[in-house]
Amino acid sequence: MSAAPLTIGEAARRTGVSAKMIRWYEATGLLPPAVRSESGYRHYGEADLHTLRFIRRARDLGFSVDGIADLLALWRDRARPSAGVKAIAQEQIADLRRRIAELEGMARTLEHLSDACCGDDRPECPILDDLAAADRAPMPRPSRRGLPGRGPARKSV
Amino acid sequence: MSAAPLTIGEAARRTGVSAKMIRWYEATGLLPPAVRSESGYRHYGEADLHTLRFIRRARDLGFSVDGIADLLALWRDRARPSAGVKAIAQEQIADLRRRIAELEGMARTLEHLSDACCGDDRPECPILDDLAAADRAPMPRPSRRGLPGRGPARKSV
DNA sequence: ATGGGGGTTCCCATCATGGGAAGGTCAAGG
DNA sequence: CCTTGACCTTCCCATGATGGGAACCCCCAT
């Protein structure tokens, strides 16, 4: 057994987690410190690759790093009750549904406005009229809490 | 006319844009430098409030600050063709739809997994089994490009 | 032995937002 | 007049997950 230890770049290639992120996960405690060669290179074995793929998959399902830490702990505890895992998953689902609903609301509003705008050479524009409408209640901003949202924004719309 | 000039806090209260953000919008050029009193306090008039409400509304529709800058420019240009505005709105809609589809995919997958997990005292858990499945292709991460995603993440899942 | 590819650390940027410190200003009340 | 407290100013820092890049070290193959 004990396959040849892989360097971080190789581990990155095989798991789809970038070398940069592997280092970061280690620095922030999501991963235990990797074994080092004499010269300081990190080395990874099969078990590490497994963990990295787990992380990668969880990220793809939208879990935050904190959530993944919880999942990893449960994963390593072979006696865990599945109820705990299911609860985490359902919180995540609820979170996703909340975010979807928020975006859906925005999209629908914009679609209405866009449909009402003829989009030709003339300056009349219901979209701008809506944005500029002065009669909006200054609601206390529905608190953006709980919207991870991943990924840097596009450069410009 | 010329109503009494408002302080930044008052403007914030009336527009739903926090004082902090008003200063930041000014610092980054989204807003022109505000008029100052002798002692350095920023003062805002009706036109400024109007602009701030415009910004607030656009943020609520998910536009990035860059997008809002474009919209503001069009708004101020009374001769603009509405086509430009409509194009921006439709890009934004497409962006929202893309993000929704991504989240929807995650939610559906998780729902399948969650449904398959009995969530009791026993340790068997299809959710963890899926996350741990080793046979995943290390696809080059579907490039998170173009997903603004607003708002800081929740503290922990 | 030399070159190139890849490792290491450290710093910086993103995007929109809030928290907080240190210090100046203003209006109301004693 | 002076205090008090609310409000303003600027400046720095943190968030989350990610990438970019510099400066430097290491290892293997020609």
Side-chain angles (χ1 to χ4, degrees):
Chain A
M1 292 304 137
S2 80
L6 306 172
T7 61
I8 197 171
E10 200 53 37
R13 240 162 281 133
R14 299 201 192 185
T15 61
V17 180
S18 73
K20 221 110 188 185
M21 290 316 296
I22 297 177
R23 291 195 197 97
W24 187 74
Y25 290 149
E26 178 183 328
T28 55
L30 182 64
L31 291 174
V35 172
R36 302 282 189 132
S37 72
E38 272 184 52
S39 56
Y41 282 24
R42 289 173 181 82
H43 283 171
Y44 298 90
E46 273 308 316
D48 301 310
L49 296 188
H50 214 197
T51 304
L52 286 170
R53 287 197 199 94
F54 183 103
I55 291 173
R56 166 71 203 273
R57 173 69 170 155
R59 295 265 336 111
D60 284 349
L61 291 175
F63 284 97
S64 72
V65 169
D66 279 351
I68 297 175
D70 295 347
L71 290 171
L72 272 178
L74 290 168
W75 184 42
R76 295 200 249 249
D77 172 9
R78 281 200 253 166
R80 85 267 155 173
S82 62
V85 184
K86 187 161 182 170
I88 292 180
Q90 284 183 331
E91 257 191 71
Q92 174 68 7
I93 291 169
D95 196 5
L96 290 168
R97 290 277 167 230
R98 239 176 286 128
R99 288 150 70 185
I100 289 169
E102 196 190 4
L103 298 180
E104 192 62 56
M106 296 177 188
R108 267 203 289 265
T109 301
L110 268 173
E111 272 158 2
H112 289 153
L113 293 174
S114 187
D115 287 350
C117 175
C118 50
D120 56 14
D121 287 350
R122 285 166 298 165
E124 294 80 44
C125 181
I127 301 171
L128 291 182
D129 290 349
D130 174 280
L131 290 171
D135 58 353
R136 207 111 39 200
M139 304 187 310
R141 295 220 91 190
S143 86
R144 256 88 189 82
R145 290 179 320 85
L147 304 174
R150 333 253 308 291
R154 63 209 167 310
K155 287 313 159 211
S156 107
V157 177
Chain B
M1 291 305 145
S2 82
L6 304 172
T7 62
I8 198 171
E10 198 55 35
R13 242 163 279 131
R14 299 201 191 183
T15 61
V17 180
S18 74
K20 255 198 135 127
M21 289 316 296
I22 298 176
R23 290 194 198 97
W24 187 74
Y25 290 148
E26 178 182 328
T28 55
L30 182 64
L31 292 175
V35 172
R36 303 282 190 132
S37 72
E38 271 184 55
S39 55
Y41 282 24
R42 288 173 180 82
H43 282 172
Y44 297 89
E46 273 309 315
D48 301 311
L49 298 188
H50 214 197
T51 305
L52 285 170
R53 287 197 199 96
F54 183 104
I55 292 173
R56 167 69 203 273
R57 173 69 169 159
R59 295 265 336 113
D60 285 349
L61 290 176
F63 284 97
S64 72
V65 169
D66 278 352
I68 297 177
D70 295 347
L71 289 172
L72 272 178
L74 290 169
W75 184 40
R76 295 199 249 249
D77 172 9
R78 280 199 253 165
R80 84 264 155 175
S82 61
V85 183
K86 187 162 181 172
I88 291 179
Q90 284 182 331
E91 257 192 71
Q92 173 67 8
I93 292 169
D95 196 7
L96 290 167
R97 290 278 167 230
R98 238 177 284 130
R99 289 150 69 185
I100 289 169
E102 196 189 5
L103 298 179
E104 191 65 53
M106 297 176 186
R108 266 202 290 263
T109 302
L110 267 174
E111 274 159 2
H112 288 154
L113 293 173
S114 187
D115 287 352
C117 175
C118 52
D120 56 14
D121 286 351
R122 285 166 299 166
E124 294 83 41
C125 180
I127 300 172
L128 290 182
D129 290 349
D130 174 280
L131 290 171
D135 58 354
R136 207 109 40 198
M139 305 188 306
R141 293 219 88 186
S143 86
R144 257 90 189 79
R145 290 180 323 85
L147 303 174
R150 333 260 306 296
R154 60 207 168 311
K155 286 314 158 210
S156 109
V157 177

